[in-house]
Amino acid sequence: MKFSQMPYERPDLEALEAKFKTLLQNFTQATTTEECFASYKEYDTFHAELTTIVSLAHIRNSLDTTDEFYAEETAFWDKHMPKLQAFGQEFTKALLNSTFRKDMEQAWGTLMFDNAEIDLKTFDPEIIPDLQAENALNTEYNKLIASAQIEFDGKTLTLAQIRPYLENPDRSIRKSAQDVIGAWFNSNEDELNTIYDKQVKLRTEIAQKLGYENYIQLGYYRRQRNCYDQADVAKFREGVATHIVPIVTQLKKEQAQRIGVDTIKPYDQFFAYPDGNAKPQGTADDILAHGKKMYNQLSTNTSELIDFMMENELFDVLTRPGKFAGGYCSYLPKYKSPFIFANFNGTTGDVDVFTHEVGHALASYMAKDIYPSGLTNYSFEIAEIHSMAMEFFTWPWMDGFFGEQTNKYYDTHLSKALFLLTSTSMGDEFQHHIYQNPDMTHAQRNKYWLELTAKYMPWLDVEDEPFIGDGRNWHNILHFFILPFYYIDYGLAQIIALCLWAQNQENPTAAWEKYMRLVGLAGTKTFLQLIEEAGLPTPFEAENVKKVGDAVNTWLAER
């Protein structure tokens, strides 16, 4: 079904509750294995339909926050989803306590049940009002960012639309663009700080009501981290600080020499070549057209996916006023349809977000017929392997996007991959400190952000720079507000994606087969089990981080 034709109607809550109670009763009163499996399948179908309804409301709200109907629907679900979550928890308990649990584990494996145990640790009916409040704050942040209207270059621009000016060869234009972005955040500083204050305190209160000292462990459980802990993540961050930061520092020094500046200012970060960065050729339609050709040629699976998505209007990639920031891939299980959201703005990011989100879409599409749906619930760092590795597997087709600038793109893409390791580690350390110290003032948070900037980005000259120099650039990172502790998943996945990149240089067929195996396993294994089975290194060992950094650095040096 085409996305525009997918019907949305707010369901009756009393009918939902009655349906749930019937499903729960059927499951708990099953007297045979066959009855148990049949009643569980009925619940799984019900859950997929409900998820689809909620996802449709949120997607359509993100496409246009000024649409009053879907704004009201989002507010409705922000309020009522925690209540429905309580129903889901009752079913989870019944699943874990079922007389037929061993039969289900034999058929489906144990990981789904391990994850269900974790899920129980994230909820109690007592916190329903708090979850409602948290949802409302998340929506408030998204709406605020989407509302940005910045006057620049004789135009009224969104935050996404002004981004290309940060790659302009004229340094004065780059600085002016950075200044007006900073001015917008300055004018909204109080509101952003208020939202974040409330989020941090509320999440801390939720965690303490559930018996945790602070939000961190709850945050890990919400991210479905089932095979590593805070100590492992800390080791990864220190591996990045020790082995990746020096490499990126040298790359940034070379960038400064190349573009003719003494130091890298915030507005120089994204400008890599004196004659201009690589830019995709043509319009957004041209990018999508070549993308379709690329995926038709890459593999049978990607060809089927891209045709399906194009035919069913499952892309929305043009930036416009009132649209959420960033990019994402959602999934509509009732229609077995991924949906890709992006904000094209004429930079290399258009191609990156396209290939990245198609990686997510491929994973969900490949898992569309896996049953039960619990086996498709891979954790977030696994999801990011799907997307980040896809960015590299599409390299052979980049000349169709960039033409003579393709080599520039390769160099920039790899350099950005290493930079991502530093920025995500920095962001993760920031969030750990914030939630260990939830009563920090605004000034203390900003000061700590600047301390981490010196640790993870020593090349960046922020002196005398408004907004960024004041340590407030973290206001511009959506994940801190909406998805705490997600940020590091990009870093963990990037290590694995770069390993697949290196293998793809040597043997593309073998590397692609390994990638498709990772995708095909969906949520049947943990992150560490998955990479071990694929013969890939754990990112929690500093030496493995070093090897990846050295491999990329060597490739760039030999160009």
Side-chain angles (χ1 to χ4, degrees):
M1 183 178 292
K2 294 182 185 300
F3 180 76
S4 61
Q5 296 172 341
M6 292 179 185
Y8 174 84
E9 183 178 353
R10 182 190 294 184
D12 179 79
L13 287 177
E14 291 185 3
L16 280 179
E17 183 176 355
K19 176 68 172 177
F20 169 79
K21 289 180 177 178
T22 299
L23 293 170
L24 179 62
Q25 183 180 45
N26 291 343
F27 183 75
T28 54
Q29 294 182 358
T31 57
T32 67
T33 304
E34 290 74 16
E35 288 180 1
C36 170
F37 277 64
S39 58
Y40 186 85
K41 186 170 185 178
E42 190 176 0
Y43 173 77
D44 206 55
T45 301
F46 166 75
H47 185 266
E49 292 176 349
L50 178 60
T51 298
T52 299
I53 291 171
V54 178
S55 295
L56 277 172
H58 282 287
I59 291 170
R60 288 173 175 160
N61 176 237
S62 71
L63 295 174
D64 182 6
T65 58
T66 66
D67 184 317
E68 293 184 4
F69 176 80
Y70 283 109
E72 290 178 3
E73 293 309 294
T74 297
F76 172 84
W77 290 115
D78 284 349
K79 178 179 180 181
H80 293 291
M81 274 308 294
K83 297 177 182 177
L84 297 176
Q85 187 178 349
F87 298 155
Q89 288 281 310
E90 289 302 311
F91 201 95
T92 298
K93 291 176 183 177
L95 174 72
L96 294 172
N97 295 321
S98 172
T99 305
F100 303 100
R101 176 169 172 173
K102 288 186 178 179
D103 297 309
M104 289 185 285
E105 288 182 337
Q106 186 174 2
W108 302 330
T110 60
L111 181 57
M112 175 176 143
F113 296 86
D114 295 338
N115 289 337
E117 296 276 9
I118 290 176
D119 189 47
L120 285 183
K121 297 176 181 179
T122 68
F123 183 82
D124 186 277
E126 179 188 1
I127 66 170
I128 287 176
D130 300 314
L131 295 178
Q132 293 170 329
E134 184 181 15
N135 289 341
L137 287 168
N138 293 349
T139 298
E140 185 179 351
Y141 173 81
N142 275 325
K143 188 173 182 179
L144 176 61
I145 296 298
S147 73
Q149 297 281 283
I150 300 173
E151 299 299 324
F152 191 74
D153 192 27
K155 306 169 186 175
T156 302
L157 304 172
T158 65
L159 288 169
Q161 289 170 328
I162 202 170
R163 172 70 174 74
Y165 289 95
L166 297 176
E167 297 185 12
N168 193 290
D170 188 330
R171 199 182 196 199
S172 65
I173 291 177
R174 298 199 302 272
K175 184 180 187 308
S176 296
Q178 183 64 66
D179 287 346
V180 296
I181 291 171
W184 185 86
F185 278 96
N186 286 341
S187 66
N188 290 278
E189 178 183 6
D190 290 344
E191 190 169 355
L192 288 163
N193 279 331
T194 297
I195 291 171
Y196 195 66
D197 274 344
K198 290 179 178 179
Q199 287 174 322
V200 170
K201 288 179 171 56
L202 183 59
R203 288 167 182 150
T204 300
E205 290 171 5
I206 291 171
Q208 290 174 344
K209 287 179 181 179
L210 293 174
Y212 303 104
E213 179 183 357
N214 55 45
Y215 176 74
I216 296 173
Q217 186 58 60
L218 175 59
Y220 272 51
Y221 285 150
R222 282 183 169 187
R223 302 263 67 79
Q224 197 182 303
R225 292 183 181 159
N226 49 24
C227 61
Y228 60 90
D229 58 21
Q230 296 175 48
D232 293 315
V233 174
K235 286 193 294 185
F236 171 71
R237 293 197 307 261
E238 288 311 304
V240 170
T242 302
H243 299 295
I244 303 299
V245 169
I247 295 175
V248 180
T249 299
Q250 179 59 36
L251 292 174
K252 288 294 181 180
K253 185 181 295 185
E254 294 169 4
Q255 177 184 341
Q257 294 172 347
R258 194 164 57 243
I259 64 176
V261 299
D262 294 330
T263 60
I264 297 289
K265 287 287 191 177
Y267 45 83
D268 298 320
Q269 291 185 87
F270 308 110
F271 181 62
Y273 297 94
D275 59 342
N277 290 2
K279 292 183 179 179
Q281 301 172 339
T283 65
D285 286 339
D286 294 326
I287 291 175
L288 292 175
H290 181 64
K292 183 178 186 304
K293 176 182 176 182
M294 174 177 72
Y295 283 118
N296 284 150
Q297 294 176 354
L298 176 58
S299 75
T300 302
N301 296 122
T302 56
S303 181
E304 180 182 328
L305 168 71
I306 199 69
D307 289 346
F308 175 80
M309 294 189 69
M310 292 290 189
E311 289 168 7
N312 290 289
E313 304 171 350
L314 296 168
F315 288 93
D316 190 297
V317 299
L318 297 179
T319 186
R320 55 184 176 270
K323 186 176 179 180
F324 273 19
Y328 65 76
C329 178
S330 189
Y331 185 64
L332 301 160
K334 180 177 179 179
Y335 304 107
K336 298 184 178 182
S337 297
F339 181 89
I340 288 178
F341 171 103
N343 281 277
F344 282 7
N345 57 18
T347 68
T348 58
D350 296 353
V351 176
D352 291 340
V353 74
F354 176 71
T355 55
H356 182 100
E357 301 304 341
V358 169
H360 285 310
L362 177 65
S364 60
Y365 190 74
M366 292 292 292
K368 67 183 186 302
D369 295 320
I370 292 178
Y371 175 81
S373 60
L375 299 181
T376 69
N377 292 334
Y378 35 78
S379 52
F380 296 90
E381 70 290 294
I382 294 173
E384 295 306 334
I385 296 174
H386 300 154
S387 56
M388 290 181 157
M390 177 62 83
E391 294 179 33
F392 293 118
F393 279 115
T394 54
W395 266 25
W397 289 269
M398 287 301 112
D399 60 341
F401 294 115
F402 297 104
E404 295 179 355
Q405 304 177 72
T406 301
N407 284 333
K408 280 185 183 180
Y409 173 78
Y410 291 151
D411 293 350
T412 303
H413 192 197
L414 272 184
S415 298
K416 284 166 60 178
L418 291 187
F419 175 74
L420 181 74
L421 295 175
T422 67
S423 62
T424 55
S425 296
M426 174 179 166
D428 188 67
E429 190 163 336
F430 177 74
Q431 290 177 91
H432 277 80
H433 190 73
I434 293 298
Y435 285 103
Q436 285 169 343
N437 303 277
D439 295 321
M440 290 177 73
T441 64
H442 309 319
Q444 288 172 330
R445 289 177 190 146
N446 298 342
K447 181 175 180 292
Y448 187 64
W449 182 255
L450 285 177
E451 291 173 6
L452 292 177
T453 302
K455 175 180 178 179
Y456 288 100
M457 301 181 185
W459 62 82
L460 187 61
D461 180 6
V462 299
E463 187 175 357
D464 300 325
E465 288 301 313
F467 176 56
I468 294 179
D470 295 336
R472 290 187 289 110
N473 195 40
W474 61 270
H475 279 170
N476 198 17
I477 302 177
L478 173 147
H479 301 75
F480 295 174
F481 290 80
I482 307 301
L483 298 164
F485 296 114
Y486 193 142
Y487 215 42
I488 199 65
D489 291 325
Y490 293 112
L492 298 173
Q494 189 70 280
I495 292 291
I496 308 304
L498 286 169
C499 289
L500 288 168
W501 162 80
Q503 294 178 18
N504 195 47
Q505 306 305 303
E506 301 294 329
N507 189 332
T509 300
W512 179 256
E513 288 175 353
K514 183 175 290 187
Y515 171 73
M516 287 304 296
R517 175 155 178 74
L518 293 177
V519 170
L521 287 168
T524 59
K525 293 184 181 295
T526 68
F527 171 60
L528 290 178
Q529 289 170 342
L530 191 71
I531 60 177
E532 180 181 5
E533 181 160 324
L536 294 164
T538 171
F540 301 126
E541 297 295 335
E543 185 59 28
N544 293 336
V545 174
K546 181 179 186 300
K547 287 179 180 178
V548 168
D550 289 345
V552 173
N553 198 34
T554 298
W555 192 90
L556 289 169
E558 293 176 350
R559 297 283 288 161

